[in-house]
Amino acid sequence: MTETPVHHALWPAPLASGAVDATITVPGSKSVTNRGLVLAALAAEPGWLRRPLRSRDTLLMAEALRALGVGIEEAVGPDGSGEAWRVIPAGLHGPATVDVGNAGTVMRFLPPVATLADGPIRFDGDPRSYERPLGGVIDGLRALGARVDDDNRGALPMTVHGAGALEGGRVEIDASSSSQFVSALLLSAPRFNQGVEVRHVGAKLPSLPHIRMTVDMLRCVGAQVDEPETGGEPNVWRVSHSALLGRDLTVEPDLSNAQPFLAAALITGGTVVIPDWPARTTQPGDQLRRIFTEMGGTCQLTDRGLVFKGSGRIHGIDVDLSEVGELTPGIAAVAALADSPSTLRGVAHLRLHETDRLAALTKEINELGGDVTETEDGLHIRPRPLHGGVFHTYDDHRMATAGAIIGLAVEGVQVENVATTAKTLPDFPEMWDAMLTGTGS
């Protein structure tokens, strides 16, 4: 885990004065936006990305693709329905430098794209990005014929020497530390001369819904994909060589970013409505409906969107979060306020995320008076009366929202560097205040 920052501003997390009653319009999905940008950039014709998320991670992706020669224009959607990006594919070229920040999707999805460029593409980013696993992508690309210089670190910084094409074919990788390794190879695979056959050969794959999202989006732009979900071999995905279609894609709300607002309803016994919650989706955040219902809430999909209500009581939970690891910080924050212990399992891979999330959650909740212990693959949380204090975030957006959740019920919580929420949820402090004062939508 990275060292505790000591120089960031402290944000006094607002204490809830009563039951919240709010409608929260959640910005678009980061996962869908960044996949949509990559697929549109590789298409054979221009496309639209409507209601994209504009956050640090997605702006980094857009700027990286522009550096490679892709046209991404700010525009009004084709039906006049609001802001959109018009993506105009072009011949990919270098030399160029890509700033990945600390965005896993950028650092993993774009090296395969870079193999299709003419010239060297250098990848660099925030200091924490150097510590995040990338070996599965690097090894996979080398096995498929790419030249990658990383000084044998298996991590950033590195340079991909694009040759204008990649042969592709069959490759075995260990993606047990990040499902993004699989998605990265699949997204560019239609442009590889032989397509690709990706075989995962490691321990259990985390975050499978994100791979399903990749597969669904590939099919939407005309790719042919064989996968385990549709009768294929376990842990094997095949994508055929083909042209990709330019599409008009509307980005769904980011359901994982709805988590802190739904948690507020659960904690305060209030009601939160999330408009445009999809009836069918591959987003992992959709599992919040089940998880938070088990923890004491009720929910209903209506014409208004998802209506979630808290009962005024929070129950502990024993849950496998291997497919929805990104939800762990928010669930841990709620569990620390519950009426019984919780065990969160299947998330050992979180030690390799924006920070070591398991160590960070343990330290920060315990320093507020909690009783959290790390297990081999998760956390055990025994609720205790909590007190105020500084909740450090380690430049991790989901740690920041976890601190805000606890602050609803615990007076005096100060969240360090709440601005890090801009990674995926711009204007979070303003949205949080509006929810609590009933002035927002």
Side-chain angles (χ1 to χ4, degrees):
M1 187 175 69
T2 52
E3 292 184 3
T4 300
V6 295
H7 56 280
H8 288 300
L10 300 179
W11 176 69
L15 186 71
S17 59
V20 300
D21 186 0
T23 297
I24 305 295
T25 300
V26 178
S29 163
K30 176 198 74 173
S31 298
V32 173
T33 298
N34 275 357
R35 284 166 172 79
L37 281 170
V38 171
L39 292 173
L42 296 176
E45 56 194 348
W48 290 93
L49 203 62
R50 286 197 276 160
R51 296 178 60 183
L53 173 67
R54 286 175 170 82
S55 70
R56 187 184 186 216
D57 279 18
T58 61
L59 293 174
L60 285 167
M61 179 68 84
E63 284 305 309
L65 290 170
R66 288 183 178 119
L68 297 178
V70 178
I72 301 177
E73 302 174 352
E74 298 283 350
V76 175
D79 61 356
S81 62
E83 293 183 349
W85 276 329
R86 175 74 161 165
V87 183
I88 304 170
L92 304 174
H93 59 77
T97 297
V98 169
D99 176 11
V100 310
N102 192 19
T105 51
V106 182
M107 73 178 69
R108 292 163 184 153
F109 292 177
L110 286 190
V113 175
T115 67
L116 304 172
D118 284 313
I121 310 299
R122 177 173 171 79
F123 289 83
D124 208 337
D126 297 352
R128 173 61 181 173
S129 71
Y130 294 8
E131 303 170 23
R132 300 186 67 183
L134 194 56
V137 175
I138 295 171
D139 293 345
L141 290 176
R142 285 180 175 145
L144 295 172
R147 178 184 163 201
V148 182
D149 291 339
D150 68 333
D151 292 333
N152 296 316
R153 289 185 305 272
L156 294 178
M158 68 178 187
T159 298
V160 176
H161 295 272
L166 192 69
E167 192 59 24
R170 175 173 170 168
V171 62
E172 294 185 348
I173 62 171
D174 181 352
S176 55
S177 61
S178 176
S179 68
Q180 289 177 354
F181 295 172
V182 175
S183 288
L185 296 176
L186 299 185
L187 286 167
S188 294
R191 291 281 302 272
F192 298 165
N193 293 340
Q194 297 182 38
V196 80
E197 177 183 297
V198 178
R199 291 178 172 265
H200 165 63
V201 294
K204 182 179 178 181
L205 261 173
S207 304
L208 275 172
H210 278 121
I211 299 180
R212 296 182 197 122
M213 176 187 294
T214 298
V215 170
D216 277 7
M217 293 184 69
L218 277 162
R219 288 173 174 161
C220 284
V221 295
Q224 179 180 334
V225 187
D226 295 323
E227 58 160 341
E229 297 290 313
T230 53
E233 294 180 59
N235 293 327
V236 178
W237 294 262
R238 297 183 182 90
V239 180
S240 302
H241 171 77
S242 68
L244 297 180
L245 305 173
R247 290 296 198 195
D248 179 0
L249 172 66
T250 299
V251 178
E252 298 174 351
D254 193 314
L255 306 187
S256 294
N257 277 339
Q259 182 183 39
F261 305 101
L262 300 180
L266 187 59
I267 289 167
T268 67
T271 301
V272 165
V273 180
I274 309 292
D276 301 317
W277 193 287
R280 178 192 173 276
T281 181
T282 52
Q283 288 193 60
D286 192 45
Q287 293 197 35
L288 284 167
R289 292 191 288 163
R290 171 184 61 83
I291 293 167
F292 276 175
T293 295
E294 290 183 26
M295 297 187 80
T298 60
C299 66
Q300 184 178 9
L301 273 176
T302 71
D303 291 341
R304 297 167 61 200
L306 180 71
V307 180
F308 184 85
K309 297 182 179 182
S311 63
R313 295 192 64 187
I314 307 168
H315 308 309
I317 192 171
D318 186 331
V319 61
D320 184 339
L321 298 176
S322 59
E323 292 199 347
V324 291
E326 66 195 48
L327 304 179
T328 302
I331 293 170
V334 173
L337 303 170
D339 59 10
S340 58
S342 294
T343 300
L344 313 184
R345 295 179 283 106
V347 287
H349 61 287
L350 294 190
R351 295 186 171 97
L352 302 171
H353 275 219
E354 280 82 346
T355 188
D356 179 341
R357 285 178 170 166
L358 300 184
L361 287 164
T362 300
K363 178 178 180 292
E364 298 309 317
I365 294 174
N366 286 350
E367 288 194 352
L368 298 182
D371 184 359
V372 181
T373 54
E374 281 192 63
T375 64
E376 182 179 352
D377 69 340
L379 299 172
H380 187 61
I381 302 168
R382 305 166 192 83
R384 297 286 187 270
L386 302 181
H387 55 72
V390 175
F391 193 94
H392 297 99
T393 62
Y394 311 90
D395 295 321
D396 185 333
H397 57 131
R398 300 208 190 277
M399 286 296 296
T401 52
I405 290 168
I406 292 173
L408 289 171
V410 179
E411 187 172 4
V413 172
Q414 298 183 82
V415 178
E416 173 258 351
N417 191 20
V418 75
T420 195
T421 53
K423 177 180 172 69
T424 60
L425 192 55
D427 305 320
F428 169 74
E430 292 79 9
M431 294 174 69
W432 200 244
D433 287 338
M435 172 191 70
L436 292 170
T437 58
T439 60
S441 66

